Amino acid sequence: MAKLKVFGGLVQMGARGQCRTVVAATSQAKAAGALGCSLHELRAWWSVSGNKDDLAAALPNPGQVFMASSSMGRDFRPVVQVGGAWVDA
């Protein structure tokens, strides 16, 4: 079985600015699918995270995207994409 990794990056949220976002997945392709981005975008703008807050948020729920309130925030909440916009799950 492939090991879970937590991928972290920033998502632009309009006037609110960029928000720290994380997702746990067994591959870059699965992470990109959960984030609704291309594999190219994931490889260019996202990285594997070892931050304890990122890991605590994402590892218990693989495939679920979590977003903080700011680019430096760690107050993660589950989100989903609806019509191209990220909303609370």
Side-chain angles (χ1 to χ4, degrees), residues 25-89:
T26 55
S27 69
Q28 290 179 331
K30 288 182 181 179
L35 293 162
C37 69
S38 71
L39 190 53
H40 173 76
E41 290 171 313
L42 182 97
R43 288 178 176 161
W45 301 106
W46 294 71
S47 63
V48 174
S49 177
N51 179 282
K52 65 180 178 73
D53 295 325
D54 294 354
L55 299 176
L59 283 176
N61 297 294
Q64 173 65 61
V65 177
F66 291 87
M67 185 178 289
S69 60
S70 69
S71 63
M72 300 298 286
R74 299 294 177 196
D75 54 339
F76 292 108
R77 67 193 188 289
V79 295
V80 295
Q81 261 191 335
V82 176
W86 289 101
V87 298
D88 290 337

